[in-house]
């Protein structure tokens, strides 16, 4: 049919009374509407009238024509409404531009309609527990007095007069808000219409169209599209249907797919989990999705246990986790046990101490293992041991009494026992003896024991320690260069060298730098001594078997006042760092040391140690002990105590703690205490998202900049890793509007904590801020880049930071250097060509005498960070399985406070994650086998050791010797020989023939034979370097793709996707490798196996000082042990130096030192 050139005639037919002519006109117009719509648009009212005429037989066709005209006029809302009224005439299968556009509008409107039916519920109101902060509670007491609530300094905690409104909502309620009812773009002009304005018929047609779209996706296997729409629409039924349809599709295909391939259902589950954890920003919706996934996974015959583990940790379903482990253990076969052990590793990696303890309490009793593996740290004669024994006796006595109130009594008893959990190691054993079933067989008992060993973290820490010890590649020359370049008498320089050493050898247990530099170490005084002692905790972190013994010479002794209080406080801090997030063994000791001392410095170190070791335990007794010291109103220990209170209550949202802390923050006059409490409150709200909004609102409205600072930190920690648009908007607003430089700095810095899961978006976001006139904002921009892009080697971030290394302000340069090191950690030249230049620049700056002290401090830290953990650690704020790494996030947040207090720099070591893959068999032993890396060896290799030049002596100037002088010397020598009568007897020494021109050269100026021609040497060196680089390039070109790696080898995060296990090998992993411990299923368990020799485990613990030996004597003995095996020799050698009382302390006694030198104070140095 010939296309229309004009629609005038057909438009005229629309006015005819004959319906046949009208239908004919509509059909022709519909076919050619793209070319004649401009003429038809003038008569659109007539066509609409035909649609509204109920007696017209082709009214649906009229609706389609109207829809297409509105589409051309870009009135997409009206176009969609008429298209939905067109019935069967609107065919989504045609796939034209018009159909695609209308279908997109339909999906958007459907999402808004479903979101209206399933409105978001803030977590602060939904699922509220006793730990959720309640507006109705007023810390001052008069909760019912509106006037008092409004005038109270803690108004943020009262709702007596103020309406509940999220702090992070927009001021303009008409703008788009994803968490607002209607969701998506509902109610926004120019977007889709508000769903409530649509008629019932249109809504029904809308659902029909979307349903047909879903069916089309199901037929094509495009389940992800359906899942995306369902999640955005908050429609759990559609999400459930999509997953079940995928499962049915897999069943219908049978076993046609290869065994090694991932099923469609598993792939879809992974996708749902990924978008749930990384895309969904609302905590309530995320919980609903995870609950649905958990329900569906449990219904599958062979469920994905590792996906379930991620869900139960987030939802805090400890009972489900323990039941899953018990089911796998009861199956008893090798593969089920391997899965159970791998689950235990995953639970330990992602769960808190409190969660893991609850899981272990619900497992069957293993009396022997529990009594031997976890003895009370203080022994049976201690207060904790007696309390445990009394509780056990009471429990046994109650067993014989069966009363009507049995359940209530049991609950109260369990509560009593759980309160003793941290002070008595046998708490779980007590409960087990009354309530837990015992394992049915020895094999089951062994499996339960192994699961508990893993969940206590003992095995993971042991494997990490072994890997870091045996694989350490730290370059001592760099550390010596830092030491020689910085004047040790300056405390900031001495401290910076300490940090560089601690980071470079973090977790390796290699502390020989202290032993080899006792004279340098002796220059540490006061807080430098505190920091140096605490550095031992970073170096020996995870050394659970020997940690307390290593620090014994430093730890405070009861009833003894000898030694430096700074080294004693530092040793308590170090002990906490060794047992980070694993404080079962030492918490009781730390608490006693903290309570039994009146020294503020020792209390400071003890508080930090308790906070690190007792992280996220939620222990009320520890909290009360810390609060008692806080109320003494000491600035020195108050800051550490406030921080420690937050660490102990990490993520609990404890209402009582928040009320106490905000009240005291307003009462005290010490800024250090207020800052510590502000940090503590932020930690309490860790990862609570919307539940923290009310606290944030109050803190940000406070007049005290230190509390506003805490409010910003609360935003950062509550929304860490969420990528929340609300949080980002608030941080950016404060970053450019607050009157305090401190608040603006932390606001920009916090962007890194919120967006570290989307590192690529941060450089673009802070680009303008990095050019701000305010140096504090520029510093915040540098640190935001370092936090978010740590370990990525992101070029965009490096491009922003490189010019900031030359900033006019010293602390901005400091931040740029530290951030560059964070980004470049574990990067080599093959991964990022800028690595050699940046390393060279760092070494140049550390030796530059004209560089500012602040920048040099940052440079020293950078050189330690870039080689963290012997070049075997990265900075990972996510776990290997993709969850938030609580320990690392907290460590990074507290590390940023080094701005105010240098000892907090050690917290950065909490972010160091060993990068290795270690296969473990069913006996939790490390077999010797190899896996394959499908890359070139140089791609992920260690960077070459840097040749750090020592200070060269001034080069001698070449001495010129005149030819006449040389002739005179020869004549004089000949004359002397003649006089002695030797001239005719001695034959001339044969000489080699001289080349042409040599005679002429002999008459020229001679040179001393011992002088080196530096020009020629430089040319030869350049030729050598060019030849070496050329050979390196040839070597890279010749490298084959693919090589074998021995078990327990260094595998970087970017390398994991290239790792594969041999398909026909003896050991097969139970899950896809993600880094860290991987459980292996032994296909031939009856054959003998070869195990790796564990070098770190074979080392013996260093002996502590015995009765009759002084601390200095034991240190001297340690100094004489000249092995370099990192067995604590450095710690022993340094004991005499660090425990010596500083001479400027009145009444103090100087401890003996291992060598013949005295510890000099600053006054003597100046003389």
């Amino acid at each position: 049919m010939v296309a229309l050139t004009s629609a005038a005639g057909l438009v005229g037919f629309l006015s005819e009374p004959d319906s046949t002519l009208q239908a004919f006109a509509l059909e022709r117009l519909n076919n050619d509407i793209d070319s004649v719509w401009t003429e038809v648009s003038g008569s659109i009212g007539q066509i609409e009238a035909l649609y509204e005429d109920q007696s017209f037989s082709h009214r649906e066709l009229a609706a389609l024509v109207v829809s297409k005209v509105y589409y051309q006029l870009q009135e997409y809302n009206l176009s969609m409404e008429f298209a939905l009224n067109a019935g069967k005439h609107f065919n989504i299968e045609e796939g034209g531009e018009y159909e695609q556009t209308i279908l997109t509008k339909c999906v958007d409107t459907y999402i808004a309609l479903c979101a209206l039916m399933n409105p978001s519920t803030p977590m602060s109101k939904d699922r509220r527990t006793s730990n959720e902060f309640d507006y109705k509670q007023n810390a001052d007491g008069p909760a019912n007095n509106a006037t008092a609530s409004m005038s109270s300094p803690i108004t943020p905690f009262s709702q007596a007069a103020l309406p509940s409104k999220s702090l992070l909502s927009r001021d303009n309620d008409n703008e788009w808000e994803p968490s607002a009812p209607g969701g998506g773009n509902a109610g926004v002009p120019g977007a889709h219409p508000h769903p409530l304005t649509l008629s019932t018929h249109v809504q029904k047609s809308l659902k029909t169209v979307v349903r047909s779209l879903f069916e089309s996706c199901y037929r094509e296997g495009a389940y992800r599209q359906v899942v995306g729409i369902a999640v955005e629409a908050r429609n759990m039924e559609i999400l459930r249907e999509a997953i079940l349809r995928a499962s049915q599709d897999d069943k219908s295909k049978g076993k046609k797919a290869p065994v090694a391939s991932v099923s469609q259902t598993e792939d879809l589950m992974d996708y749902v989990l990924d978008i749930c954890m990384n895309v969904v920003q609302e905590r309530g919706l995320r919980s609903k999705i995870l609950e649905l996934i958990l329900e569906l996974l449990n219904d599958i015959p062979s469920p994905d246990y590792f996906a379930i583990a991620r869900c139960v940790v987030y939802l805090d379903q400890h009972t489900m986790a323990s039941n899953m482990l018990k089911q796998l253990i009861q199956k008893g076969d090798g593969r089920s046990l391997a899965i159970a052990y791998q689950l235990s590793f995953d639970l330990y990696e992602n769960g808190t101490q409190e969660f893991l303890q609850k899981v272990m309490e619900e497992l069957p009793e293993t009396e022997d293992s529990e009594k031997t593996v976890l003895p009370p740290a203080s022994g049976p004669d201690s207060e904790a041991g007696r309390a445990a024994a009394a509780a056990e006796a009471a429990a046994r006595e109650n067993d014989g009494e069966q009363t009507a109130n049995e359940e209530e009594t049991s609950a109260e008893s369990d509560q009593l026992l759980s309160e003793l959990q941290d002070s008595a190691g046998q708490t779980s054993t007590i409960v087990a003896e009354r309530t837990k079933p015992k394992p049915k067989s020895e094999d089951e008992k062994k499996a339960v024991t192994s699961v508990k060993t893993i969940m206590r973290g003992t095995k993971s820490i042991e494997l990490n320690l072994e890997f870091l010890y045996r694989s350490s590649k730290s370059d001592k020359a760099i550390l010596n260069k830092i030491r020689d370049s910085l004047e040790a008498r300056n405390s900031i320089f001495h401290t910076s060298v300490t940090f560089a050493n601690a980071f470079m050898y973090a977790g390796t247990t290699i502390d020989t730098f202290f032993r080899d530099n006792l004279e340098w170490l002796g220059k540490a005084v006061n807080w430098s001594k505190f920091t140096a002692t605490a550095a031992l905790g970073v170096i020996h972190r995870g050394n659970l078997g020997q940690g307390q013994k290593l620090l014994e010479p430093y730890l405070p002794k009861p009833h003894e006042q000898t030694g430096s209080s700074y080294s004693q406080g530092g040793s308590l801090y170090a002990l906490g760092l060794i047992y980070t997030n694993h404080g079962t063994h030492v918490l009781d000791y730390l608490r006693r040391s903290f309570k039994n001392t009146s020294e503020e410095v020792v209390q400071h170190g003890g508080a930090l140690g308790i906070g690190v070791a007792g992280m996220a335990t939620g222990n009320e007794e520890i909290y009360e002990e810390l609060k008692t010291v806080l109320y003494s109103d000491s600035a020195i220990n108050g800051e550490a105590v406030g921080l420690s209170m937050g660490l102990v209550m990490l993520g609990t949202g404890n209402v009582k703690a928040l009320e106490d802390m905000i009240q005291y923050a307003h009462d005290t006059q010490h800024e250090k205490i207020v800052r510590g409490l502000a940090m503590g409150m932020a930690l309490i709200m860790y990862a609570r998202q919307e539940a923290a909004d009310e606290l944030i609102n109050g803190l940000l409205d406070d007049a005290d900049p230190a509390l506003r600072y805490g409010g910003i930190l609360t935003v950062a920690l509550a929304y860490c890793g969420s990528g929340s648009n609300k949080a980002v908007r608030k941080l950016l607003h404060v970053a450019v509007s607050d009157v305090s430089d401190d608040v603006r700095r932390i606001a920009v810095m916090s962007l890194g904590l919120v967006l570290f899961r989307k590192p690529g978006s941060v450089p673009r976001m802070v680009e303008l801020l990095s050019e701000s006139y305010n140096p504090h904002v520029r510093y915040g921009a540098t640190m935001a880049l370092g936090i978010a892009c740590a370990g990525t080697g992101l070029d965009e971030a490096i491009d922003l930071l490189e010019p900031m290394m030359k900033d006019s302000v010293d602390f901005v340069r400091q931040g740029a250097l530290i951030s560059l090191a964070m980004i470049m950690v574990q990067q080599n030249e093959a991964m990022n060509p800028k690595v050699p230049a940046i390393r060279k620049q760092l070494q140049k700056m550390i030796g530059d005498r004209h560089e500012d002290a602040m920048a040099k401090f940052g440079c020293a830290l950078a050189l330690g960070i870039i080689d963290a953990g012997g070049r075997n650690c990265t900075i990972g704020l996510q776990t290997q399985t993709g969850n938030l790494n609580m320990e690392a996030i907290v460590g990074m947040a507290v590390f940023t406070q080094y701005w105010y207090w240098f000892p907090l720099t050690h917290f950065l070591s909490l972010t160091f994650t060993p990068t290795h893959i270690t296969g473990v068999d069913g006996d939790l032993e490390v077999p010797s086998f190899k896996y394959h890396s499908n890359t070139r060896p140089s791609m992920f290799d260690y960077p070459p050791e840097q040749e750090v030049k020592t200070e060269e002596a001034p080069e001698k100037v070449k001495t010129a010797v005149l030819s006449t002088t040389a002739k005179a010397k020869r004549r004089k020598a000949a004359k002397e020989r003649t006089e002695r009568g030797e001239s005719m007897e001695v034959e001339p020494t044969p000489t080699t023939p001289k080349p042409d021109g040599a005679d002429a050269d002999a008459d020229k100026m001679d040179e001393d034979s011992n002088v080196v021609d530096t020009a020629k040497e430089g040319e030869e060196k350049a030729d050598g370097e060019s030849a070496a680089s050329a050979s390196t390039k040839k070597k890279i070109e010749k490298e084959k793709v693919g090589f074998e790696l021995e078990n327990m080898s260094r595998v970087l995060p970017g390398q994991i996707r290239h790792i594969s296990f041999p398909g026909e090998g003896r050991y097969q992993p139970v899950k896809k490798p993600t880094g860290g411990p991987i459980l292996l299923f032994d296909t031939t368990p009856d054959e003998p196996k070869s195990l790796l020799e564990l070098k770190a485990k074979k080392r013996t613990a260093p002996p502590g000082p015995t009765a009759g030996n002084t601390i200095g004597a034991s240190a001297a003995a340690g100094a004489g042990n000249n092995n370099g095996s990192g067995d604590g020799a450095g710690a022993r050698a340094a004991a005499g130096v660090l425990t010596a009382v500083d001479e400027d302390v009145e009444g103090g006694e100087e401890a003996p030192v291992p060598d013949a030198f005295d510890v000099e104070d600053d006054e003597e140095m100046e003389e």
Side-chain angles (χ1 to χ4, degrees), residues 878-1066:
Q878 294 185 77
T879 64
Q880 299 283 4
T881 53
N883 287 4
L884 296 179
N885 187 343
M886 177 192 73
E887 194 176 304
I889 293 170
V890 170
M892 183 64 77
V894 180
F895 161 71
T896 59
Q897 306 311 300
Y898 83 88
W899 178 278
Y900 302 103
W901 191 233
F902 281 159
L904 297 181
T905 307
H906 283 312
F907 270 82
L908 184 64
S909 64
L910 273 61
T911 68
F912 295 162
T913 304
T915 52
H916 65 105
I917 288 182
T918 300
V920 181
D921 63 10
D923 296 325
L924 300 187
E925 295 176 329
V926 184
S928 177
F929 78 103
K930 294 183 178 181
Y931 42 81
H932 184 75
S933 176
N934 191 31
T935 60
R936 290 187 174 89
S938 62
M939 178 60 70
F940 298 101
D941 198 7
Y942 290 100
E945 291 192 5
Q946 300 294 314
E947 295 182 3
V948 182
K949 295 182 180 179
T950 57
E951 291 293 334
E952 297 179 355
E955 185 180 332
K956 292 182 179 179
V957 179
K958 296 178 181 180
T959 304
V961 181
L962 296 176
S963 59
T964 55
T965 305
K967 291 178 180 179
K969 287 181 178 179
R970 288 196 294 270
R971 286 195 298 268
K972 183 178 180 182
K975 184 177 180 181
E976 291 175 352
R977 288 196 298 270
T978 304
E979 291 175 353
R980 291 195 301 267
E982 301 172 353
S983 57
M984 299 302 292
E985 297 177 4
V986 180
E987 295 180 359
T989 304
T991 58
T992 56
K994 294 182 180 180
D996 295 340
D999 294 334
D1001 293 339
D1003 295 335
K1004 294 183 179 179
M1005 186 182 297
D1006 296 336
E1007 296 179 352
D1008 287 352
S1009 59
N1010 61 343
V1011 177
V1012 179
D1013 188 346
T1014 55
K1016 293 182 180 179
E1017 186 187 43
E1019 292 176 2
E1020 292 174 359
K1021 185 176 179 182
D1023 293 341
E1025 288 179 354
S1026 61
S1029 61
S1031 63
T1032 304
K1033 290 180 180 178
K1034 290 181 180 178
K1035 183 179 179 182
I1036 294 175
E1037 291 173 359
K1038 292 180 180 179
E1039 276 185 327
K1040 294 182 179 179
V1041 176
F1043 63 101
E1044 301 296 320
L1045 285 170
E1046 184 66 40
N1047 193 17
M1048 194 178 276
S1049 291
R1050 175 180 183 260
V1051 178
L1052 303 190
Q1055 189 180 2
I1056 290 177
R1057 65 177 181 272
H1058 302 291
I1059 297 295
S1060 60
F1061 286 75
E1064 302 297 329
R1066 174 177 179 178

Side-chain angles (χ1 to χ4, degrees), residues 378-616:
S378 53
D381 297 330
S382 67
E383 179 182 352
R386 289 193 297 272
E392 183 174 0
R396 287 174 176 170
E397 183 178 351
N398 288 339
D399 281 343
E401 301 178 3
Q402 300 295 332
T403 65
N405 296 326
E406 182 178 355
E407 294 180 1
E408 181 179 354
T409 306
S410 176
E412 292 175 356
S413 180
D414 287 348
Q415 182 179 1
L416 171 64
L417 296 174
S418 64
E419 290 174 355
L420 295 171
Q421 170 184 343
D422 294 285
S423 60
Q426 294 179 345
T427 303
S428 57
T429 307
I430 301 165
V431 180
E433 291 176 354
R434 292 193 295 115
T435 61
K436 298 182 190 175
K438 293 186 177 181
K440 298 178 181 179
S441 64
E442 286 299 320
D443 291 340
E444 188 173 330
K445 182 177 180 179
K446 178 184 175 183
V448 173
T449 303
S450 298
V451 165
K452 290 184 177 180
T453 301
I454 295 170
M455 295 186 69
R456 291 188 186 103
T458 310
K459 196 64 186 178
S460 294
I461 293 173
E462 177 189 325
L463 294 174
N464 287 337
L465 191 72
E466 172 66 27
F467 164 70
L468 292 175
Y469 174 70
R470 70 191 298 151
S471 304
S472 177
K473 298 289 184 183
S474 294
D475 194 345
K476 285 187 178 181
I478 296 177
L479 197 55
N480 291 333
K481 170 72 173 178
I482 301 173
R483 179 204 60 205
D484 296 339
S485 301
L486 302 179
E487 175 54 58
R489 288 176 295 181
N490 189 327
S491 63
I492 185 175
F493 287 159
H494 194 287
T495 301
S496 64
V497 178
T498 300
F499 289 138
N501 173 46
F503 293 157
M504 207 173 282
Y505 290 98
T508 63
T509 72
I510 301 173
D511 55 12
T512 51
F513 180 78
F514 283 155
R515 184 193 62 199
D516 297 337
N517 296 277
L518 291 177
E519 183 177 358
W520 167 85
L521 194 62
K523 297 178 182 179
V525 293
N526 299 338
W527 289 106
S528 294
K529 186 174 290 186
F530 177 95
T531 305
T533 310
L536 293 171
V538 177
I539 295 171
H540 289 276
R541 183 184 167 206
N543 194 356
L544 305 183
Q546 305 174 16
Q548 194 162 354
K549 200 168 186 179
L550 280 165
L551 294 174
E552 195 169 350
Y554 305 86
L555 292 169
K557 308 291 188 301
H559 313 299
E560 294 184 23
Q561 299 299 325
T562 58
S564 168
S565 61
Y566 291 96
S567 67
Q568 291 176 2
S571 66
L572 293 176
Y573 184 16
L575 190 61
L577 288 169
I578 290 175
Y579 291 86
T580 298
N581 198 23
H582 195 269
T584 310
H585 297 279
V586 295
L587 268 177
D588 187 58
Y589 174 81
L590 286 170
R591 290 168 63 183
R592 286 203 315 276
S593 300
F594 179 72
K595 288 190 294 184
N596 295 339
T597 183
S598 58
E599 286 281 350
E600 292 181 337
V601 177
V602 180
Q603 286 182 334
H604 182 96
L608 291 175
I610 290 173
V612 179
M615 188 185 299

Side-chain angles (χ1 to χ4, degrees), residues 305 324-342 441 443-444 447 451 921-923 1070 1079-1083 1085:
Y305 292 104
M324 185 167 54
L325 289 171
K326 284 187 282 190
Q327 290 173 7
L328 289 167
I329 291 172
Q330 288 170 2
K331 288 183 180 180
D333 61 285
R335 184 171 291 278
S336 296
L337 290 178
I339 293 174
Y341 297 156
Q342 185 66 62
S441 64
D443 291 340
E444 188 173 330
V451 165
D921 63 10
D923 296 325
V1070 297
L1079 256 294
L1080 304 171
F1081 174 63
D1082 191 350
T1083 56

Side-chain angles (χ1 to χ4, degrees), residues 110 211 214 218 226 230 235-243:
Y110 174 79
R211 168 54 59 186
F214 289 165
Y218 292 151
V226 181
N235 194 324
M236 297 299 105
E237 292 305 316
I238 297 296
L239 182 59
R240 178 195 301 272
E241 177 188 285
I243 297 173

Side-chain angles (χ1 to χ4, degrees), residues 1060-1131:
S1060 60
F1061 286 75
E1064 302 297 329
R1066 174 177 179 178
Y1067 297 103
Q1068 297 297 321
V1070 297
K1071 75 166 188 175
K1072 187 177 180 181
T1074 54
I1078 294 291
L1079 256 294
L1080 304 171
F1081 174 63
D1082 191 350
T1083 56
T1084 56
D1086 297 330
E1087 294 183 5
K1089 58 185 178 182
S1090 174
L1091 301 177
L1092 282 184
E1093 180 185 5
L1094 301 184
K1095 299 178 181 178
K1097 194 173 183 179
K1098 293 180 68 175
R1099 289 177 295 139
T1100 57
T1106 57
N1109 289 341
T1110 63
I1111 294 174
S1114 65
N1121 179 12
N1122 199 27
N1123 62 20
S1125 59
D1127 57 355

